Amino acid sequence: MPIRPRLGSTVVLPSVIVDARWVMSFAAGIGDLNRQHMDTANGSTLIAHPMHYWAVSWPIMRRIDELLEVPLTPKEKVRNVHFSEDVIHHRPIPAGGKIDAICTPVRWAQRPKGCTLTMRFVLQDSETTEPYCTQFTTGYYTGCTLGGSAFEGDLASLPPPLPKRTSALPKASPNRAAPIFTATIPVGPADAHIYTECSRIWNPIHTDRSVALAAGLPDLILHGTATAAKAVTALTERYCAGDAARVQRVAVGAFKANVLMPSSLTLRVFAVERSGLTSTAYWDILTGAGELAIQGGVFVFRNSTSRL
């Protein structure tokens, strides 16, 4: 059945409190022991990890039918692959923050192997309506067709352009690029289960082997957002001196190869370019087999005394 997004539709998630327990467990679930997320005795309010927003907005993904003219069939639902991600942080989410999440479809198109749907989320303070972040998530419905014409919202509703890289781009082959920085990121055999429970993001393809195999996967795989979160932790340590409040934008151009467990990932940074008050790091992630797990990563952070 063709997928038909409903123009002007909106889903509002009931207010949720991001308490200290959740802030700490999310960070622990990706192995991030940064005091900003973990130390309740340091005299400051904890702040959420820069990727914690996805755990807040996740319940809306179960209500995707409310954004469509016709509900998805069970087969169509399992064909939805998390394709890309882009989040703009306006300010950190504090422990104890009461948050509303509002979701609207802003772009959809037919692709060679299916169709894509981009949704815009605004996570805001429940009382003041001041935004914490604006999130753009694109799903790729493999093997599905788009009902009707492609659509793209106005500029105000779409993600602003990412900072353009001015230095030479790496060669197309992931094995022949020349990074300026690399870091090894270990993935444990139970990381998907740990991340699932600590983040409160449950999708059985990550934790139930029979479901994963039935979906055509080779085995259990780590969540794409967990892979991205581990990378953001390493990037924050490297370029923000561990200050997560300096992270302003994180983008994943595409989630690619599956991350199996256990395994070892390689974070590669190709360039860091300064522009005014911010700098941008361009990065990707390789699996242990040398395949791209994350392509086209962008990490924008506020300048201070970071090591460039």
Side-chain angles (χ1 to χ4, degrees):
M1 181 182 299
I3 294 177
R4 300 177 184 273
R6 184 156 52 93
L7 185 62
S9 57
T10 298
V11 172
V12 179
L13 189 69
S15 298
V16 60
I17 295 176
V18 180
D19 58 13
R21 179 181 177 184
W22 197 4
V23 170
M24 291 185 287
S25 68
F26 183 95
I30 55 171
D32 188 335
L33 302 183
N34 187 330
R35 293 182 62 190
Q36 290 181 313
H37 313 315
M38 301 294 290
D39 188 355
T40 59
N42 70 357
S44 301
T45 300
L46 298 181
I47 61 172
H49 187 278
M51 294 297 291
H52 192 137
Y53 73 91
W54 177 253
V56 178
S57 61
W58 166 251
I60 289 181
M61 301 305 294
R62 298 186 179 183
R63 298 173 56 186
I64 192 73
D65 284 347
E66 296 177 41
L67 302 173
L68 306 175
E69 296 285 355
V70 180
L72 295 172
T73 66
K75 288 184 178 180
E76 288 169 338
K77 288 181 179 180
V78 300
R79 289 176 178 172
N80 181 17
V81 177
H82 193 176
F83 181 66
S84 65
E85 190 71 18
D86 187 358
V87 61
I88 300 166
H89 288 286
H90 309 295
R91 56 193 175 121
I93 297 174
K98 188 177 182 181
I99 298 175
D100 292 338
I102 304 167
C103 175
T104 306
V106 295
R107 178 191 289 148
W108 49 89
Q110 186 66 50
R111 304 290 183 183
K113 297 181 180 180
C115 58
T116 55
L117 171 61
T118 300
M119 297 174 293
R120 178 178 186 264
F121 299 77
V122 176
L123 274 59
Q124 63 186 33
D125 186 285
S126 296
E127 297 180 357
T128 68
T129 71
E130 289 293 316
Y132 288 110
C133 67
T134 304
Q135 163 194 354
F136 298 90
T137 297
T138 299
Y140 201 126
Y141 291 82
T142 58
C144 298
T145 57
L146 185 68
S149 302
F151 172 80
E152 188 167 282
D154 58 39
L155 290 178
S157 67
L158 296 172
L162 288 163
K164 289 186 178 180
R165 181 175 169 184
T166 59
S167 57
L169 294 171
K171 295 180 179 179
S173 169
N175 295 318
R176 289 186 293 175
I180 62 170
F181 170 74
T182 62
T184 299
I185 299 176
V187 177
D191 272 13
H193 290 82
I194 294 169
Y195 179 73
T196 291
E197 299 305 323
C198 290
S199 67
R200 308 179 191 177
I201 297 172
W202 180 77
N203 183 335
I205 64 169
H206 302 294
T207 55
D208 188 323
R209 192 163 185 265
S210 65
V211 174
L213 295 176
L217 296 169
D219 211 320
L220 296 178
I221 60 171
L222 186 64
H223 311 59
T225 52
T227 302
K230 287 174 178 286
V232 168
T233 290
L235 291 164
T236 301
E237 291 175 353
R238 173 72 179 180
Y239 297 111
C240 301
D243 185 359
R246 289 171 53 193
V247 179
Q248 294 196 339
R249 188 171 185 179
V250 178
V252 171
F255 293 101
K256 304 285 283 186
N258 295 324
V259 174
L260 300 175
M261 300 167 289
S263 64
S264 181
L265 303 174
T266 300
L267 166 67
R268 306 188 304 173
V269 177
F270 300 103
V272 180
E273 298 184 347
R274 189 183 184 106
S275 178
L277 298 177
T278 63
S279 291
T280 303
Y282 300 88
W283 57 280
D284 67 16
I285 291 281
L286 294 181
T287 67
E291 299 177 301
L292 278 169
I294 287 180
Q295 183 179 43
V298 175
F299 180 79
V300 181
F301 57 96
R302 191 176 71 252
N303 292 328
S304 182
T305 56
S306 55
R307 293 172 291 172
L308 301 183

